[in-house]
Amino acid sequence: MIKYILPILFIAALSAGWVIVQLIAKKMKTKNHIDNLGNGECMSCTCGGVDEACENENK
């Protein structure tokens, strides 16, 4: 039983840590994966996901 619980807890902690890092990146207005989910505005540009760079590239 414990051989199943420990890997599951490890993966859950790793996933939670990734989400926290992404939320911090969003708050700091740096590149993160949360902003790129489903909005489709900057998916085809080469700006790296930074909104200001995408606006400048599209002009």
Side-chain angles (χ1 to χ4, degrees), residues 25-40:
K26 183 177 180 178
K27 186 172 186 174
M28 294 175 64
K29 298 188 190 278
T30 59
K31 183 178 177 183
N32 64 68
H33 294 284
I34 295 172
D35 287 339
N36 292 334
L37 293 176
N39 63 2

Side-chain angles (χ1 to χ4, degrees), residues 12-46:
L14 192 64
S15 298
W18 183 83
V19 169
I20 290 170
V21 167
Q22 294 302 311
L23 290 174
I24 291 170
K26 183 177 180 178
K27 186 172 186 174
M28 294 175 64
K29 298 188 190 278
T30 59
K31 183 178 177 183
N32 64 68
H33 294 284
I34 295 172
D35 287 339
N36 292 334
L37 293 176
N39 63 2
E41 295 173 5
C42 189
M43 294 301 192
S44 62
C45 68
T46 58

